[in-house]
Amino acid sequence: MTVNMTKGQAISLQKDDGGALTAVRMGLGWQAAPRRGLFGSRTREVDLDASAVLFADKQPVDVVFFRHLVSDDGSVRHTGDNLVGGVGAGGDDEAILVDLQRIPVHIDQIVFTVNSFTGQTFQEVQNAFCRLVDETNGQELARYTLDGGGQYTAQIMAKVHRAGAGWQMTAIGTPANGRTFQDLMPSILPHL
């Protein structure tokens, strides 16, 4: 059963049977929004990029993104860069796989961001979402829908963080500006 998350909402990453999730996928999907022009509507390709920044005690220690596809310890892996989006109805255009059992104990948070590498604003994007999937069985656990467009080029989407012996996901949904995860660091830090 999918939880449609709202900004700031947190959910536990425990399975219904009480067991802990072992591997999750953070999926990102989007489409270019049609724009009206003199000769009808048209779309311009939008290159959104998903990134995962790994933190230890509020300090960034590693990042997974299109130029560094696997974390140094191998626990987080990006499936590859999609330059245009729009794979299909609800399908992931980019995904980041997280092996929760392999994350080193000093890593306490993973923040997921989305940025427009080409610099287009979210007014040019439609049907954008971030979702968390149990990678062992493909079940969608949570979905955060990015809506409202906006004059910004990035969004701090969500974070997965340690909660006692397990993990929680919190939808952040804060707009920001930047073409890469490095540009977003000042916007990420208040959410740690």
Side-chain angles (χ1 to χ4, degrees):
M1 174 180 205
T2 298
V3 174
N4 287 313
M5 298 185 73
T6 58
K7 186 175 180 174
Q9 182 180 3
I11 62 165
S12 172
L13 298 185
Q14 295 289 327
K15 290 187 174 189
D16 291 338
D17 64 6
L21 290 172
T22 57
V24 295
R25 173 173 20 110
M26 183 63 68
L28 166 66
W30 76 94
Q31 295 174 330
R35 296 173 45 180
R36 297 205 184 277
L38 185 60
F39 301 106
S41 56
R42 58 185 168 79
T43 58
R44 187 173 136 206
E45 293 176 348
V46 178
D47 179 11
L48 295 185
D49 290 320
S51 301
V53 184
L54 289 69
F55 288 88
D57 196 27
K58 299 187 179 184
Q59 297 297 315
V61 294
D62 201 355
V63 67
V64 174
F65 71 118
F66 69 93
R67 289 189 180 144
H68 185 243
L69 294 176
V70 180
S71 62
D72 294 340
D73 59 49
S75 65
V76 181
R77 184 172 53 90
H78 196 297
T79 60
D81 195 14
N82 180 320
L83 303 177
V84 297
V87 161
D92 298 334
D93 295 314
E94 291 194 11
I96 297 175
L97 307 172
V98 181
D99 185 341
L100 295 168
Q101 295 180 316
R102 289 185 57 197
I103 295 175
V105 293
H106 70 285
I107 304 291
D108 55 7
Q109 299 183 69
I110 303 171
V111 177
F112 297 93
T113 66
V114 176
N115 54 276
S116 172
F117 187 73
T118 48
Q120 292 138 301
T121 69
F122 278 84
Q123 287 181 321
E124 297 182 52
V125 176
Q126 67 182 11
N127 302 324
F129 65 86
C130 173
R131 69 187 190 130
L132 191 71
V133 176
D134 180 341
E135 192 61 14
T136 61
N137 63 16
Q139 178 184 0
E140 183 174 285
L141 304 170
R143 178 179 286 257
Y144 178 71
T145 302
L146 171 74
D147 51 50
Q151 285 294 327
Y152 49 89
T153 59
Q155 179 134 164
I156 315 305
M157 291 296 283
K159 70 178 179 177
V160 172
H161 50 100
R162 291 189 190 272
W167 292 87
Q168 273 191 335
M169 176 186 172
T170 300
I172 298 172
T174 298
N177 282 298
R179 294 181 49 205
T180 66
F181 76 90
Q182 295 101 323
D183 299 337
L184 304 179
M185 291 307 289
S187 298
I188 293 172
L189 295 177
H191 299 286
L192 300 179

